[in-house]
Amino acid sequence: MTASSVEQLRKDGNELFKCGDYEGALTAYTQALGLGATPQDQAILHRNRAACHLKLEDYDKAETEASKAIEKDGGDVKALYRRSQALEKLGRLDQAVLDLQRCVSLEPKNKVFQEALRNIAGQIQEKVSYMSSTDAKVEQMFQILLDPQEKGTEKKQKASQNLVVLAREDAGAEKIFRSNGVQLLQRLLDTGEPDLMLAALRTLVGICSEHQSRTVATLSVLGTRRVVSILGVENQAVSLAACHLLQVMFDALKEGVKKGFRGKEGAIIVDPARELKVLISNLLELLTEVGVSGQGRDSALTLLIKVVPRKSPKDPNNSLTLWVIDQGLKKILEVGGSVQDPPGELTVTANSRMSASILLSKLFDDLKCDAERENFHRLCENYIKSWFEGQGLAGKLRALQTVSCLLQGPCDAGNRALELSGVMESVIALCASEQEEEQLVAVEALIHAAGKARRASFITANGVSLLKDLYRRGEKDSIRIRALVGLCKLGSAGGTDFSMKQFAEGSTLKLAKQCRKWLCNDQIDAGTRRWAVEGLAYLTFDADVKEEFVEDEAALKALFQLSKSEERSVLFAVASALVNCTNSYDYEEPDPKMVELAKYAKQHVPEQHPKDKPSFVRARVKKLLAAGVVSAMTCMVKTESPVLTSSCRELLSRVFLALVEEFEDRGTVVAQGGGKALLPLALEGTDVGQTKAAQALAKLTITSNPEMTFPGERIYEVVRPLVSLLHLNCSGLQNFEALMALTNLAGISERLRQKILKERAVPMIEGYMFEEHEMIRRAATECMCNLAMSTEVQDLFEATGSDRLKLLVLYSGEDDELLRRAAAGGLAMLTSTRPSLCSRIPQVTTHWLEILQALLLSPNQELQHRGAVVVLNMVEASSEIASTLMESEMLEILSVLAKGKESPVMRAAAACLGKAVEYGLIRPSQDGK
């Protein structure tokens, strides 16, 4: 019983492997191994699993499985060959060649083994030559760079460039590392010259990239504290290069060795978790270190945002987050509570507080239970109390600034802080202060509190009159503009509901007009003008405000210029305003019956503004495109800043989808770089944001030439987002547009078809060929028709027991002409490339002859041509099939078509009759025709 079960599972696995379902085959082989297979069967199953892992490009597992097979049977030549393939991909050529030599000794006449051995020997020779030739070059480059006589020369510049380029290749990086390179690079860092420091840091990036052991060794030589301290230098380029190096080091420590040599350096590896904590600990220390540049502090926050929280909630281990909260929460709050102007003890930039808010938010969101969240709240409250109580006015200001930081980040913690005794009262009292610095802190805290539902009613009752007074009578624009934003927040509390207005008619228009005026005033600094955009982000819920805003070309121009400036904290507000103007937020039409029921029950019914109707929205989109919104958004997407959060990315994705809704606007979006900007949005961010961006990519791919829209290698990056739209949780429209876009891509090149296959799209496309909706069914069939140009897909149609061919034959007889055309095209192509399929067509359905005759009698020339090609392929494939065809009405139909005007159909029909004559099935008429 067990032996037969093992054999059956192995056969099932083999069939799945032939069909391209490598995951399924892997599962079958694994199940067979669990049934107590014999040692010989185990060897076969392990080597088959190795073949699956090779196809799935998991070369480490392929090597492991092949080794297990060899342990069971040392003379298993297939296992040896598969292990050599895995070792070659892993870069371990010296071990791969030993396996191949063993294969050749076991089967001396096997040409495949001989050719593989020649190829790998050539690779080893090239590597040896390269390594020997670079020895002298590395030594020479370091001599030039460390020679004080060569200071500032072109020779020195070229040497630094060559060193960086050499380190980008793994073999070159290994050579530098083994040539005492890290110690020499340390000497370059110690010179303090920006150019030499940049060259050293960029070379270190190559050495550490995806290589855990070299990273640990580098940190050991340079010292973790020394590497982190470079972040804090004043030179911005050097600071950014150090940030990049640390990011690479973090990746290497977290992911381990993905490529590289496994030689003596393997002994260097210590506990990577410990090294990771040491690095993070140093970054936390840097946050509160006096003398560190604002740029360096921002870079440290950015690295912590990227490295500390879990990448996925599915990962159960959030211990790193808990450790950072215990060790460094106070340090992060200290940055969040610092002021830029006047400069405090800590140097910060305009973006530092926002980065601290984002980090706090990420840490809070990474907590898993109430006990962990309660600990976070307790630490925050204790920190705020330590400044608020007994530290005088300066302490109160610091505490309120920290509360503002929390309100912009983990707002639950911010709300808890607002409820601390005396905090809200201090905010209200300090708003009336005569000192600008005190007013700024208090008004900002009031604004952030106004956006929280728990405090809005309190502020509406106690703070509106105060904000109005500050706005009307304030002497400083910096105070007036912030007071205005507070009023904007309170005035937009009804959202897009036209029936819920907080202020008198026309008040929001007046507030928006003042916001636009401040926005256009380039005499005001960018940090203050940012608040005008914040105000517009709230006021543009009102359709009247949207209409006036898009008509104001100067305001739009100022908005887009500000989005491209160094003031990164404005990005979310800009994106929010654009979402409002394009109505790209989620909106569902209320059910009329539910509306009537709500009215009867005297419940509030939301009303849409008349100017939010589709015609108005389309007009606003046109005006935004004319003003250059796409180029501004493209710059925003390129931003390397934590301010570009997943939520901000989602907003930008929503706007892009609205911009490409109309066919005639898509060319403008592509011309201004929209296609390039959509790719990162479709690959990173919230699920909703990625889906919206992917749908926008699909629309562009459908209506434009993909090779021009996504030039070069970029076109291959489009495939994965499009395939993601095929999942069942996406809408029917998204499924349809993805299928149409993939159809276009599949018709371009074999490499693109291979990319689609690699993303495992074929099973999903096949599923949609059974969809009830005729447009989706047709699009899936057209996509499969183009994919059938690949041999892997042809193998699927040829596989034993497959009904794929039957479906195409039946669809060729459907009433939907476009579906018939797609299916007949697929049949014509498959029968041309795989003649064996011709003999199976009569077996799949008894109506096959009627279907082919109907194609040939169709008034549509394309259908006629495809039908004629299918019949010609069948006639050429077998005299038996030809005989069946000639004994039916097909002979008469072909005779009529062959006498028609010169065309592809006429030529195919004549070729069919000619082949029948050759078989002796028919004779030519007396006139020889």
Side-chain angles (χ1 to χ4, degrees):
M1 178 73 75
T2 303
S4 63
S5 300
V6 169
E7 180 64 21
Q8 186 57 49
L9 281 169
R10 186 167 67 82
K11 287 180 178 178
D12 291 345
N14 292 346
E15 285 299 321
L16 289 166
F17 187 89
K18 287 177 186 176
C19 294
D21 186 358
Y22 307 120
E23 293 280 7
L26 203 55
T27 303
Y29 298 141
T30 305
Q31 289 173 348
L33 279 168
L35 294 178
T38 64
Q40 186 178 357
D41 283 337
Q42 285 180 27
I44 295 169
L45 291 166
H46 279 303
R47 83 179 183 211
N48 287 357
R49 280 171 57 82
C52 293
H53 286 306
L54 283 171
K55 288 290 186 182
L56 294 168
E57 298 182 9
D58 193 340
Y59 303 117
D60 281 312
K61 287 182 180 177
E63 181 210 353
T64 302
E65 291 295 333
S67 296
K68 287 178 181 178
I70 294 164
E71 285 172 15
K72 302 289 182 186
D73 181 2
D76 191 334
V77 73
K78 287 185 179 179
L80 284 164
Y81 181 60
R82 285 168 190 166
R83 188 167 73 174
S84 74
Q85 289 177 299
L87 290 167
E88 182 184 355
K89 291 292 185 181
L90 291 168
R92 291 150 64 186
L93 302 181
D94 52 339
Q95 295 174 39
V97 79
L98 294 175
D99 281 345
L100 279 173
Q101 286 170 346
R102 176 75 174 145
C103 289
V104 171
S105 68
L106 290 169
E107 293 186 12
K109 295 182 180 180
N110 191 313
K111 292 183 179 179
V112 174
F113 296 159
Q114 291 171 0
E115 183 63 28
L117 186 59
R118 275 196 295 271
N119 287 339
I120 208 162
Q123 289 182 52
I124 291 172
Q125 185 59 43
E126 285 178 15
K127 191 171 177 180
V128 169
S129 301
Y130 176 78
M131 296 293 277
S132 60
S133 67
T134 53
D135 276 350
K137 290 180 183 176
V138 170
E139 187 178 347
Q140 187 182 15
M141 282 186 273
F142 275 116
Q143 282 178 352
I144 294 169
L145 290 170
L146 293 168
D147 186 352
Q149 302 300 320
E150 296 284 355
K151 188 173 183 179
T153 64
E154 186 180 337
K155 196 174 178 182
K156 202 165 193 174
Q157 187 178 8
K158 190 173 181 180
S160 65
Q161 289 172 350
N162 289 340
L163 194 65
V164 174
V165 170
L166 182 65
R168 286 175 188 161
E169 294 294 328
D170 193 72
E174 181 70 10
K175 177 51 64 179
I176 295 170
F177 179 76
R178 289 183 176 279
S179 302
N180 205 30
V182 178
Q183 287 85 348
L184 294 170
L185 291 168
Q186 185 178 25
R187 289 174 60 188
L188 291 180
L189 290 172
D190 291 341
T191 62
E193 294 181 33
D195 289 343
L196 292 181
M197 291 180 77
L198 279 173
L201 291 167
R202 289 167 182 167
T203 305
L204 286 167
V205 165
I207 289 173
C208 297
S209 183
E210 297 184 340
H211 207 297
Q212 193 178 46
S213 60
R214 290 202 297 248
T215 299
V216 174
T218 301
L219 286 170
S220 176
V221 172
L222 298 179
T224 306
R225 184 65 189 155
R226 172 78 174 99
V227 177
V228 172
S229 68
I230 300 172
L231 272 181
V233 301
E234 289 295 335
N235 187 294
Q236 189 172 355
V238 173
S239 178
L240 288 172
C243 182
H244 184 207
L245 172 61
L246 284 165
Q247 180 66 62
V248 166
M249 287 178 159
F250 275 122
D251 290 343
L253 290 172
K254 293 188 92 172
E255 301 298 331
V257 180
K258 288 184 179 177
K259 61 179 183 178
F261 300 90
R262 294 191 177 186
K264 295 176 183 177
E265 77 275 18
I268 297 170
I269 298 246
V270 293
D271 180 13
R274 179 185 169 279
E275 293 295 320
L276 202 60
K277 282 190 174 181
V278 170
L279 260 181
I280 292 172
S281 178
N282 277 279
L283 284 176
L284 291 170
E285 290 294 329
L286 188 79
L287 290 180
T288 54
E289 194 172 303
V290 178
V292 172
S293 67
Q295 171 70 40
R297 226 177 295 278
D298 287 357
S299 295
L301 289 167
T302 301
L303 285 167
L304 290 168
I305 289 167
K306 289 180 178 179
V307 172
V308 176
R310 292 172 294 168
K311 296 294 182 188
S312 168
K314 294 178 182 177
D315 179 2
N317 184 9
N318 69 339
S319 58
L320 195 56
T321 294
L322 297 176
W323 182 80
V324 167
I325 288 171
D326 287 338
Q327 300 296 317
L329 184 62
K330 289 182 180 179
K331 293 180 173 66
I332 301 165
L333 290 171
E334 193 168 336
V335 178
S338 299
V339 291
Q340 183 186 5
D341 194 26
E345 197 172 274
L346 298 182
T347 307
V348 292
T349 69
N351 301 315
S352 299
R353 279 178 55 207
M354 181 59 77
S355 296
S357 294
I358 292 167
L359 176 55
L360 290 166
S361 181
K362 295 270 187 185
L363 293 173
F364 188 78
D365 290 343
D366 203 37
L367 301 177
K368 296 191 295 184
C369 63
D370 290 342
E372 292 174 358
R373 284 184 277 272
E374 192 58 40
N375 179 57
F376 186 95
H377 289 312
R378 180 180 55 79
L379 291 171
C380 290
E381 289 168 14
N382 288 344
Y383 178 82
I384 291 166
K385 284 178 183 176
S386 70
W387 282 103
F388 196 76
E389 298 167 0
Q391 295 284 343
L393 183 57
K396 281 186 169 59
L397 290 173
R398 187 64 177 261
L400 294 182
Q401 193 85 315
T402 307
V403 171
S404 290
C405 178
L406 287 169
L407 286 167
Q408 291 178 87
C411 57
D412 284 350
N415 276 323
R416 287 268 295 257
L418 280 175
E419 291 168 6
L420 292 173
S421 176
V423 170
M424 204 65 211
E425 291 75 10
S426 295
V427 171
I428 298 293
L430 286 170
C431 281
S433 171
E434 293 182 0
Q435 297 297 318
E436 183 182 1
E437 294 81 12
E438 295 169 12
Q439 272 192 318
L440 282 174
V441 171
V443 173
E444 284 187 24
L446 191 63
I447 292 167
H448 297 310
K452 313 304 167 190
R454 197 181 298 182
R455 308 303 308 178
S457 57
F458 173 87
I459 295 166
T460 303
N462 300 280
V464 170
S465 57
L466 181 60
L467 288 170
K468 286 182 178 177
D469 192 56
L470 286 170
Y471 171 56
R472 288 171 183 162
R473 300 181 187 178
E475 295 179 3
K476 299 283 186 180
D477 278 346
S478 58
I479 301 296
R480 293 185 65 218
I481 199 168
R482 285 166 172 78
L484 177 61
V485 172
L487 291 171
C488 293
K489 270 193 173 184
L490 295 171
S492 64
T496 57
D497 187 353
F498 182 50
S499 62
M500 286 187 68
K501 296 297 175 187
Q502 302 295 313
F503 294 152
E505 188 70 31
S507 294
T508 51
L509 288 173
K510 289 178 183 176
L511 292 174
K513 185 177 181 180
Q514 185 59 51
C515 280
R516 297 202 308 274
K517 181 180 175 182
W518 269 320
L519 175 61
C520 296
N521 186 354
D522 53 14
Q523 300 301 312
I524 302 174
D525 65 278
T528 303
R529 288 164 66 205
R530 187 257 296 185
W531 288 97
V533 184
E534 291 270 358
L536 287 169
Y538 288 100
L539 293 176
T540 46
F541 280 122
D542 188 321
D544 290 317
V545 174
K546 299 177 197 180
E547 288 294 314
E548 286 195 1
F549 186 36
V550 297
E551 292 289 347
D552 190 338
E553 292 182 14
L556 289 176
K557 185 178 179 183
L559 179 78
F560 298 154
Q561 285 178 341
L562 194 59
S563 71
K564 299 174 186 178
S565 71
E566 293 298 316
E567 184 60 47
R568 302 287 82 192
S569 54
V570 79
L571 295 184
F572 191 85
V574 173
S576 299
L578 292 174
V579 165
N580 292 339
C581 288
T582 56
N583 282 38
S584 45
Y585 41 73
D586 291 328
Y587 176 77
E588 289 185 15
E589 284 287 342
D591 185 342
K593 291 182 180 178
M594 295 301 294
V595 171
E596 290 301 319
L597 188 62
K599 287 180 179 177
Y600 178 76
K602 297 183 179 179
Q603 296 293 316
H604 174 70
V605 179
E607 295 178 21
Q608 187 180 33
H609 197 292
K611 292 181 180 177
D612 273 333
K613 290 180 179 177
S615 58
F616 284 92
V617 176
R618 282 196 294 271
R620 290 201 291 267
V621 167
K622 302 277 186 195
K623 288 168 185 172
L624 286 170
L625 284 168
V629 67
V630 177
S631 60
M633 289 172 63
T634 302
C635 290
M636 290 166 72
V637 172
K638 291 178 183 176
T639 301
E640 290 290 335
S641 167
V643 177
L644 191 65
T645 59
S646 295
S647 300
C648 189
R649 286 173 174 275
E650 180 184 320
L651 295 179
L652 292 172
S653 297
R654 288 176 179 275
V655 178
F656 267 121
L657 183 56
L659 296 177
V660 300
E661 192 63 40
E662 296 294 317
F663 171 81
E664 60 269 20
D665 295 333
R666 295 173 192 172
T668 305
V669 173
V670 171
Q672 295 182 12
K676 181 181 178 181
L678 277 166
L679 283 169
L681 293 177
L683 296 169
E684 186 180 346
T686 64
D687 290 341
V688 172
Q690 289 184 62
T691 301
K692 299 280 185 189
Q695 190 177 1
L697 282 172
K699 289 179 185 289
L700 293 179
T701 309
I702 291 168
T703 54
S704 60
N705 181 351
E707 291 176 290
M708 294 184 68
T709 306
F710 311 105
E713 294 295 306
R714 204 169 291 143
I715 193 170
Y716 302 101
E717 296 175 38
V718 181
V719 174
R720 181 171 293 174
L722 295 180
V723 172
S724 71
L725 293 178
L726 297 179
H727 293 292
L728 295 175
N729 59 342
C730 294
S731 68
L733 177 61
Q734 290 166 343
N735 298 153
F736 172 71
E737 290 178 333
L739 288 166
M740 293 283 285
L742 287 169
T743 301
N744 277 3
L745 292 178
I748 292 174
S749 70
E750 178 59 24
R751 188 179 167 195
L752 270 169
R753 288 191 286 275
Q754 289 298 323
K755 177 67 175 172
I756 295 170
L757 293 175
K758 189 177 177 182
E759 294 295 335
R760 301 175 190 173
V762 171
M764 290 185 278
I765 295 168
E766 285 183 328
Y768 286 114
M769 289 176 72
F770 294 93
E771 178 66 41
E772 288 184 14
H773 196 291
E774 62 179 24
M775 292 177 70
I776 295 178
R777 184 168 66 242
R778 183 198 309 150
T781 307
E782 289 174 348
C783 190
M784 187 57 70
C785 175
N786 280 359
L787 285 173
M789 288 186 270
S790 289
T791 54
E792 288 88 342
V793 178
Q794 292 164 16
D795 291 340
L796 296 178
F797 277 90
E798 207 171 21
T800 307
S802 169
D803 284 333
R804 296 178 179 90
L805 183 65
K806 180 178 180 179
L807 188 63
L808 280 189
V809 174
L810 292 174
Y811 278 177
S812 298
E814 284 286 309
D815 293 333
D816 182 348
E817 191 171 286
L818 293 173
L819 177 61
R820 288 177 73 197
R821 187 177 68 181
L827 268 183
M829 202 266 300
L830 284 166
T831 52
S832 297
T833 55
R834 297 294 171 102
S836 61
L837 292 175
C838 296
S839 59
R840 287 172 54 182
I841 289 177
Q843 300 168 14
V844 296
T845 175
T846 55
H847 302 289
W848 68 279
L849 204 51
E850 298 167 29
I851 291 169
L852 292 178
Q853 288 171 359
L855 286 173
L856 290 173
L857 292 171
S858 170
N860 185 305
Q861 287 286 317
E862 280 191 77
L863 281 175
Q864 268 195 332
H865 182 225
R866 294 177 187 207
V869 171
V870 174
V871 172
L872 176 59
N873 292 336
M874 293 177 72
V875 169
E876 290 179 338
S878 163
S879 60
E880 291 180 12
I881 300 174
S883 175
T884 305
L885 289 167
M886 294 305 132
E887 288 170 4
S888 69
E889 294 177 5
M890 187 67 74
L891 175 59
E892 187 178 345
I893 296 169
L894 290 171
S895 300
V896 172
L897 293 174
K899 294 175 184 177
K901 293 181 181 179
E902 174 68 24
S903 67
V905 176
M906 185 274 286
R907 289 194 293 272
C912 287
L913 295 174
K915 196 69 180 176
V917 170
E918 188 181 316
Y919 288 144
L921 300 173
I922 60 173
R923 289 182 298 174
S925 57
Q926 292 180 353
D927 59 3
K929 293 184 180 179

